[in-house]
Structures are given as C-alpha cells and as structure tokens.
Amino acid sequence: MIANNSIQASFQQFEGTTMEEVHLNDLNEAQRIAVETIEGPVLVLAGAGTGKTRVLTTRVAHILLNRHAWPSQVLAVTFTNKAAQEMKERISRLIGHSVEGLWLGTFHSLCVRILRQHAELLGFKPSFTILDTDDQLRLIKQLLKAEELDDKRYPPRQVLGTIGRWKDRGLLPEKVTASQMGRPGHVGDESTLKIYKDYQQRLQILNAMDFGDLLLLTVTLFSTHPTILKSYQDQFKYILVDEYQDTNIVQYLWLRLLAMGNQNNLCCVGDDDQSIYGWRGAEIGNILKFEQDFPGAKIIRLEENYRSTPQILGAASTLISHNSSRLGKTLRTQRDRGEQVQVRGVWDGEEEARFIGEEIESLHRKEENLSSMAILVRASFQMREFEDRLITLGVPYRVIGGPRFYERQEIRDALAYLRVIVQPNDSLAFERIINTPRRGIGNSTLQTLHAYARINLIPLIEATRILLETDELRGQSKTALRALLLDFDRWRSMMVKVPPKELTGIILDESGYTAMWLEDKSPDAPGRLENLKEFAAAVGEFESITLFLEHVSLIMENSVSAQGDMVSLMTLHAAKGLEFNSVFLAGWEEGLFPNPRALTEAGESGLEEERRLAYVGLTRAKKRAIITFVVNRRLPGEWQSSMPSRFIEELAREHIEITNQPGIFGRTRGNWEETVALQEPRHTSSLYDQQISQSKLSLFSLGDRVFHIKFGYGYVTEISGDKLDVHFEHTGLKKVMASFVTRK
C-alpha cells in the first residue's frame, strides 16, 4: 500500500529520535495529556485561545508517528473546508511529508465519500448530484403547484427551511411526529410533510441529494445496513471531532453510530462556553452530556490562554460564570496584566460611532495596524452608522461574514423603490423591484416591456405606461403593473408634504415589501426587517430622499474595495475563531444585547446563549477590549431610552473601568456601583426587567396598536404587570413582554 509505505518512510526518518523532540516539546501539561491520551472516549474542553488546533493536529501526528494506526484508520472531522485544509497542512509539517489516506474533512464531505461507495443501497446511483439552493427552491415550487398549495401561505423558501430543520434533527418523512409539526394551514403542517415526502421521492428520481440528505442518508445507511456500519466502525480506530459544541442532532447521531464500535477511541474537542449557534440547530446538550453518552470518558480542560491579558480573561470568566448550563473551566494566562476592560457610556449611536472612530484613529497614530482592530456588533443593522463614520474619516474597513450595509439585498431593494420615486426613468431600479414582492409579473411580460423600450429608445417605465393602454399586456400582469405605477405616482406626489423617513416606511409597507419579510420564516428574515427599519431611520437624517440617495452614491463610490490594512467590522457570530489586538464591543444595552428575540423564543437557554456570545466577543481581544453602550438607541428606527446590558453588570468590577460622557447618570467617571444602581445577588431579573419594562408598560393602554419584531402588528387586549396579551394580525393571541413591543 502506497499510504503505508509513505508513513513507514516517516517512521524511519525518526529512528533514534525521541517523540518529545519531534512534536511534544512545545505543549503545556494539559495539551500534552490531551495528545497522549488516545485510548477510550476523551472530551477536550478547550477554552478560547488555549491552542485547540495545535492539540488536534499534534494528536493525529502522535497517533501516526507512534504507529498506533495507519492514516486510513484515522477519521478527523472539522466544520469548514478551510479548517480541514489548515489541519492537513499542519499534520504534514509535523510528520515531515504529506499524509495520504487520512479521512479528514467536514461532516458533509466525509458523508459524500461514504455515500458514493454505497449509494445503490439507498436507491441512488453513485453519480448522484448535489443540488444547490436554487435547484431545491425550483423543485419545491413545482411540488407546491402540483398539490395546489398557495405559495403565499406556503412560501417555498420557508417550506425548504422546515424540511432542512427536520433533516438536521435526523427525521425522514415517516419519522416526523405531530409534536414536530406546526399548526394546520401553516408551514410545518401535514401539507408541508406531504411536500417533504414528494420532495424526497423526486430527488431519488432525479438521482440527486441536497446538503441535508448527505448526513441524514448516511445515518439511514448505517441504521439499515449494520454490516456497512460495522465495516466503518472496524476501519476507524481513532475518531477526532473539532468544534463539538456546534454539532446538531443528525451530526451527533452519525458520530455516535461510528463511535459505538469496538474501538471507541473518540476524541471531541470543543468549548461549551462558545456554543452560539443554537438558532441554526446546534445542540449544546451534545457536549454537556458527553460523559453520559460515552461512559468512562475522560475530561481534559485546556485552561492556559495564550491570547488575552489577565484583565480581559478575568472579565470574561466572571461573565460566563453566570451560566448554569456549562461544564466549567477557568482560563489563566502568563501574560502581563494589561489594561482594564473599558466601558464607555455615550448619548446615542452617532456618538458611539464617533467615539470608536476616534479611538481607532488614535491607536493607528500610535502605529497599531488597522487590521489588528475590530468592531463587533450584535445585529447587522448597527453597522450602518459605523460604516458611515469610517468612510467619513477615510478609514478603510472590511465587513466580515456578509456584505456592507448598503450592499445587502433588502437595502438594495429599498433603494430601488426610492430611486424610482425620485427618478422615474431609472429602468434598472424599476426592473429590480417590478416583481418584488411577487405580483404575478412573469418573465414574458418583462421581455415584452424590454423589447418595446429598446425599439423605441425609451425608459422601461414609459414603455410600461404606453403598453398598459394596449392589448399587449393582459390578465394579472396588466392589473399588477397598473396598480404599481399608480402607487409610484401617488408616492411621488407625497414627497413634498411627507417627511422622508415616514414616506420610506409608507412605501415599504404599502408595496408589500415589509410584509414579505414579516411572512418569511427563514432565520435571516428578522435581521432583514431590522435593517429596513435602520434604513428608514437613515433616510430620516436627510431633508429629502434625493439628498439621501446622493449620500448613498458617494458612500458607495468612496468605499470601493480598499485592500491591505483595514479595520474589521462584523457581528459577534462572525467573530468566532478570530482574534485582534483591540476589540470594540458596541451596543451593550438592554433591548439590543441580549437580543430580545432570543429571550422571547428560548427563555433562560436563550439568555445563556446570548451570554456565551458576549463571552466570545470579549475573548477575541488580545490587548484591549472597549465596551460601549448608549442611553438613547434607535432600535431600529425608533428612539428609546436604554440601560446598560445586564452583561456589563455581570463583569467583575476589578477588571473594568467606567468612563461616561458628561451628564450620563449624573457623572463622567466613577465606580460602577455609583454609576448604575445594582442589586445583589444577581439572578435572572435585570435592570432591563426592573426599569425598562416598567417605563414601557406605562405607555400602553387597552386597544393600542403595537408592533413585535417576530409577530408583527396587533392590538393590546389585556395588561398584566409587565406582560401584555396581544392579538396579532397574522399569528393570533400571544402573551409578550411589554418591553418587546412598540406602540404604533
């Protein structure tokens, strides 16, 4: 065997050399134990910045160099292809040559490898294709049409999302129970389940799978063909898994089946304190119950942090200690004590952006690279003010994990509506939103309009007006186009008398664009709604829509892809796994962080995940962490008074320094206890519960029309303490916290 000969050569290379000299010398005691403990189940709790990647790669090299297994007998699972590639390169450097035969990759790539070998046992050919999202949506639309289901009640993207969630939970159609379905007449009901069944049948006919199938069908293969499962159990003498805290149910099932063999040499590396993806299916219980799942498991804690200062670690450790669902560890470091975590209170979001911009400039003048600085926000809508400020200052920046604010789909759509209002001849803008949201205007109609406009050298809207007076257009398309142009004319006439912000809201509401995202149940829909509200607020900062559009054009022109040294701007979720010398943690106030939606939907577990997110943010910082909060926040688009986040309250006082703008809480600098009245002991109640809820409650009366970010618009039917009974227009009667709704 080539692989065996290859590794044999590497063994010969190290004849007469101790293993310590080769790959163990640079490890601390805990890391070394994690590398050398290769028998039986092992959970390595690797705190932030403790060298988990080094442990993983060195462990694989240790197994190979000591001849405990051939490369083909080692299975190593990562969460990204990039991580897999980096791990492979590190292992190659440690053993002195490339590793052939090693099973190293993501869950999905490894499952593809298995399914190619055994697809026929599941009714597929080995040449099966893997569908992308567009193909999946097209197939769902066909099935909805065949079942005569209204795609407004059953939006294809939502149906596909529901099917994906069932697959992530390891559920084939026949395994979905009533408790896992939604209300009749809504996505997730019996009709959705029927679509799921039909969808799977069509995939088989097409000899195709989607990404959810790759894991689900591999688990099915293992469950229905025990001899196949046994062959892989016998093959993989050692199994290693990275980021175990982020695994979902079907990934857990896959891993559990493989690890149940005779070997049981399973090593999972993860950090329960950095489990922040519950909203996309990750189950923190997988790591918390590791000892139950694998009796006799050894827990090894990596607590020596090589990234952050003691001050930063002290603040982060006291914060995360407020979580009850954790295995527990205490990070320590040998680094110099460093600066205290700075907490800065300012008046509003604009001042927050100005303060952080000035701090970045100051650090840069002291010869700190821009690329060593990052601004981390809880919600993407917060980026807008920072982007505007950085562009004004001429500070280059990059948005990590997503597009810039004005490049987002929903913002480009909203801009297109405004552009058509201001400039009726803007054919590109008109074409972008002519059927967004869907109005029944098909491609054939659009082609007719384009052809007439091109032949007559006129704008698309003018061509539409002319053709509406002919029989070239007919049916639903004609009706929808006539109504749309009337709307544009009416909105245009309102420009002289309706303030820009209010008019923007009217346009987005009356066009159906806001409702489109309210009805969308995809995970990113709430964030898009927040961005739209922030967009309207941004328009409101200008005297006219025309001036706003000019401002956006200048911003986009000035922000074109600077390369090289740039500040990083991203959400807290996107920051996981990264590190920076200086980290600015913006918007730490109640009503924003913790995210109200997380609290509403998941209660205490949602609060704990938000706290883990705060912990992740803090531990990205190597030298300095600066937390900011505002006392007046537009959330988004509406001004409201805010209080510092409960997470600031939970930071150990000896590790933080408070500096407020003059007049905030009556002082500019002082002890935290003097700045904000704190209560001990701290449980699940907070300043938010005690102060904001009370102040908001007084704003409501029976019959008030209110808005909730998840449930939409409704009317107050009962008031009970800090809770409201609200009859929502689309979702019926709900009990919600008063602080989570705004009066309309």
Side-chain angles (χ1 to χ4, degrees):
M1 292 177 59
I2 295 176
N4 291 357
N5 291 338
S6 175
I7 196 69
Q8 195 76 20
S10 72
F11 295 153
Q12 294 169 2
Q13 180 181 345
F14 298 111
E15 288 292 338
T17 308
T18 64
M19 301 313 298
E20 289 81 2
E21 292 172 337
V22 178
H23 64 288
L24 300 180
N25 276 348
D26 294 333
L27 303 179
N28 63 40
E29 183 180 356
Q31 289 174 333
R32 184 162 179 163
I33 293 172
V35 167
E36 295 184 312
T37 307
I38 62 172
E39 303 299 323
V42 176
L43 175 62
V44 180
L45 283 178
T50 58
K52 72 173 179 68
T53 303
R54 171 182 286 184
V55 166
L56 269 172
T57 54
T58 308
R59 184 182 172 94
V60 174
H62 183 76
I63 290 168
L64 297 178
L65 289 169
N66 282 279
R67 313 187 196 191
H68 294 297
W70 301 116
S72 60
Q73 295 175 308
V74 179
L75 174 68
V77 189
T78 65
F79 262 79
T80 66
N81 291 313
K82 181 182 177 184
Q85 185 60 35
E86 290 176 353
M87 191 171 170
K88 189 173 183 179
E89 290 171 357
R90 290 195 183 196
I91 295 169
S92 297
R93 285 197 296 271
L94 283 171
I95 68 172
H97 59 80
S98 62
V99 184
E100 302 295 334
L102 183 69
W103 281 64
L104 171 61
T106 64
F107 280 101
H108 291 102
S109 67
L110 294 168
C111 284
V112 169
R113 190 171 173 181
I114 293 170
L115 289 171
R116 293 289 186 204
Q117 296 295 317
H118 309 286
E120 292 177 347
L121 295 174
L122 298 169
F124 293 85
K125 297 176 182 175
S127 59
F128 63 82
T129 57
I130 302 170
L131 300 187
D132 60 20
T133 303
D134 287 343
D135 290 333
Q136 296 171 53
L137 283 172
R138 193 156 47 249
L139 183 52
I140 292 291
K141 290 174 184 177
Q142 292 172 7
L143 295 172
L144 288 169
K145 189 174 182 179
E147 289 293 320
E148 298 182 347
L149 292 173
D150 183 2
D151 61 5
K152 291 185 173 61
R153 175 165 287 187
Y154 296 89
R157 195 172 293 276
Q158 293 180 34
V159 172
L160 185 61
T162 299
I163 292 172
R165 285 190 289 275
W166 281 333
K167 290 185 178 184
D168 286 345
R169 298 187 70 83
L171 300 172
L172 288 165
E174 60 270 19
K175 294 292 181 67
V176 178
T177 64
S179 63
Q180 292 151 338
M181 292 193 293
R183 294 180 297 150
H186 294 78
V187 175
D189 63 357
E190 285 280 357
S191 296
T192 312
L193 181 58
K194 175 66 165 58
I195 294 296
Y196 182 17
K197 293 176 182 175
D198 295 343
Y199 176 70
Q200 293 302 103
Q201 289 174 358
R202 287 292 302 276
L203 287 178
Q204 195 148 21
I205 293 169
L206 296 170
N207 193 40
M209 301 181 189
D210 62 22
F211 271 87
D213 285 325
L214 299 179
L215 272 150
L216 180 60
L217 294 182
T218 306
V219 169
T220 304
L221 173 72
F222 288 163
S223 302
T224 55
H225 295 83
T227 55
I228 301 294
L229 172 61
K230 182 67 164 55
S231 69
Y232 284 104
Q233 289 174 337
D234 292 343
Q235 177 180 341
F236 299 132
K237 191 174 179 181
Y238 295 97
I239 300 175
L240 302 89
V241 183
D242 193 11
E243 303 287 5
Y244 188 59
Q245 78 281 349
D246 293 332
T247 53
N248 60 28
I249 291 177
V250 73
Q251 290 164 342
Y252 165 81
L253 293 172
W254 181 86
L255 185 65
R256 187 80 190 277
L257 285 167
L258 284 173
M260 286 172 59
N262 298 328
Q263 317 284 352
N264 206 24
N265 296 329
L266 171 67
C267 176
C268 292
V269 181
D271 185 2
D272 52 326
D273 291 335
Q274 295 189 71
S275 179
I276 59 174
Y277 295 118
W279 52 276
R280 68 182 190 194
E283 291 283 339
I284 191 174
N286 291 350
I287 193 169
L288 295 179
K289 65 181 184 179
F290 187 88
E291 288 182 285
Q292 294 174 239
D293 291 334
F294 304 98
K298 185 169 184 177
I299 309 294
I300 301 170
R301 289 173 168 82
L302 304 185
E303 299 176 309
E304 181 72 25
N305 178 282
Y306 295 95
R307 176 187 298 156
S308 306
T309 65
Q311 295 278 27
I312 293 170
L313 290 182
S317 295
T318 56
L319 171 66
I320 201 63
S321 68
H322 288 77
N323 275 5
S324 57
S325 299
R326 61 191 295 260
L327 297 172
K329 60 185 169 304
T330 303
L331 297 185
R332 59 183 182 274
T333 182
Q334 302 299 318
R335 294 189 61 186
D336 293 338
R337 186 164 179 77
E339 304 173 11
Q340 289 179 298
V341 174
Q342 301 296 308
V343 180
R344 173 82 171 181
V346 297
W347 282 109
D348 55 33
E350 184 178 346
E351 184 57 39
E352 180 182 49
R354 184 180 295 112
F355 165 72
I356 290 176
E358 289 172 353
E359 288 292 303
I360 288 171
E361 286 192 310
S362 175
L363 290 169
H364 192 45
R365 284 194 296 269
K366 297 173 183 176
E367 299 188 349
E368 181 163 331
N369 293 332
L370 294 174
S371 57
S372 69
M373 294 180 261
I375 304 170
L376 310 185
V377 298
R378 176 59 183 88
S380 61
F381 77 83
Q382 293 172 260
M383 294 185 187
R384 199 269 305 175
E385 284 182 312
F386 292 109
E387 290 190 51
D388 283 3
R389 188 62 189 167
L390 292 172
I391 290 169
T392 300
L393 294 172
V395 175
Y397 71 96
R398 62 168 64 88
V399 175
I400 306 295
R404 298 169 183 246
F405 183 83
Y406 291 109
E407 294 172 350
R408 293 185 168 92
Q409 173 192 339
E410 66 277 11
I411 302 303
R412 285 192 176 276
D413 289 343
L415 282 168
Y417 274 101
L418 298 190
R419 284 165 54 189
V420 174
I421 299 299
V422 171
Q423 175 50 270
N425 291 341
D426 193 332
S427 296
L428 291 175
F430 181 62
E431 183 180 0
R432 181 180 181 95
I433 46 84
I434 191 172
N435 200 41
T436 303
R438 282 182 295 174
R439 303 180 173 93
I441 302 170
N443 287 332
S444 61
T445 300
L446 191 56
Q447 289 170 7
T448 300
L449 297 176
H450 269 301
Y452 189 83
R454 190 166 52 250
I455 293 170
N456 294 279
L457 302 176
I458 59 176
L460 200 59
I461 291 184
E462 188 178 340
T464 305
R465 291 189 189 279
I466 294 171
L467 292 179
L468 282 173
E469 303 305 317
T470 72
D471 292 328
E472 293 287 344
L473 303 176
R474 58 185 65 198
Q476 184 180 352
S477 294
K478 189 171 187 176
T479 303
L481 281 169
R482 180 172 280 116
L484 182 60
L485 293 192
L486 287 172
D487 282 340
F488 279 129
D489 292 340
R490 179 167 49 82
W491 295 330
R492 194 172 297 115
S493 69
M494 297 169 68
M495 287 178 64
V496 294
K497 53 186 177 182
V498 179
K501 176 186 172 183
E502 185 178 342
L503 180 56
T504 301
I506 290 171
I507 293 168
L508 294 176
D509 287 347
E510 292 185 355
S511 66
Y513 194 78
T514 303
M516 180 184 79
W517 289 114
L518 278 170
E519 294 166 3
D520 192 306
K521 302 303 181 200
S522 61
D524 59 347
R528 294 187 189 275
L529 286 168
E530 290 175 347
N531 290 339
L532 288 172
K533 291 181 181 180
E534 178 64 20
F535 174 80
V539 178
E541 295 176 3
F542 294 81
E543 293 182 4
S544 70
I545 291 176
T546 302
L547 290 174
F548 169 73
L549 291 175
E550 289 176 1
H551 167 74
V552 173
S553 297
L554 291 172
I555 281 181
M556 299 304 290
E557 178 68 23
N558 294 334
S559 65
V560 175
S561 68
Q563 299 294 323
D565 195 27
M566 290 185 285
V567 174
S568 295
L569 177 59
M570 71 195 82
T571 64
L572 287 160
H573 283 98
K576 188 170 179 289
L578 304 178
E579 61 181 31
F580 305 89
N581 282 344
S582 301
V583 172
F584 298 89
L585 299 148
W588 280 43
E589 62 259 1
E590 294 291 333
L592 179 57
F593 192 36
N595 185 288
R597 191 167 59 252
L599 305 188
T600 301
E601 295 177 355
E604 186 66 23
S605 65
L607 173 60
E608 293 208 350
E609 180 156 317
E610 289 290 292
R611 189 176 286 113
R612 291 193 292 270
L613 191 56
Y615 173 83
V616 166
L618 269 171
T619 54
R620 299 312 92 195
K622 297 166 69 175
K623 292 182 178 181
R624 63 185 63 83
I626 300 96
I627 296 170
T628 58
F629 68 90
V630 308
V631 296
N632 297 287
R633 173 71 71 179
R634 193 170 49 209
L635 276 181
E638 288 189 345
W639 288 99
Q640 72 175 43
S641 298
S642 47
M643 295 292 294
S645 169
R646 69 191 75 189
F647 299 150
I648 296 178
E649 192 178 325
E650 294 169 352
L651 300 172
R653 304 299 180 267
E654 65 267 26
H655 298 301
I656 64 175
E657 181 183 11
I658 312 297
T659 308
N660 295 329
Q661 277 190 315
I664 293 179
F665 303 123
R667 50 191 312 119
T668 60
R669 183 182 295 267
N671 295 327
W672 187 241
E673 290 85 352
E674 297 174 331
T675 308
V676 183
L678 301 176
Q679 295 190 357
E680 298 288 346
R682 173 81 186 152
H683 298 293
T684 57
S685 63
S686 65
L687 293 170
Y688 177 74
D689 303 319
Q690 299 158 10
Q691 299 181 36
I692 292 188
S693 292
Q694 291 175 9
S695 64
K696 292 247 333 175
L697 186 61
S698 64
L699 299 176
F700 298 108
S701 304
L702 293 177
D704 280 351
R705 191 169 189 256
V706 296
F707 177 79
H708 188 282
I709 197 166
K710 178 182 179 184
F711 302 124
Y713 291 96
Y715 293 89
V716 177
T717 60
E718 188 173 337
I719 302 174
S720 178
D722 60 350
K723 298 181 179 63
L724 305 175
D725 284 3
V726 180
H727 187 84
F728 291 100
E729 294 169 2
H730 296 290
T731 55
L733 189 65
K734 302 284 185 183
K735 186 178 290 292
V736 298
M737 299 296 294
S739 52
F740 292 169
V741 299
T742 54
R743 191 169 62 177
K744 295 293 183 179

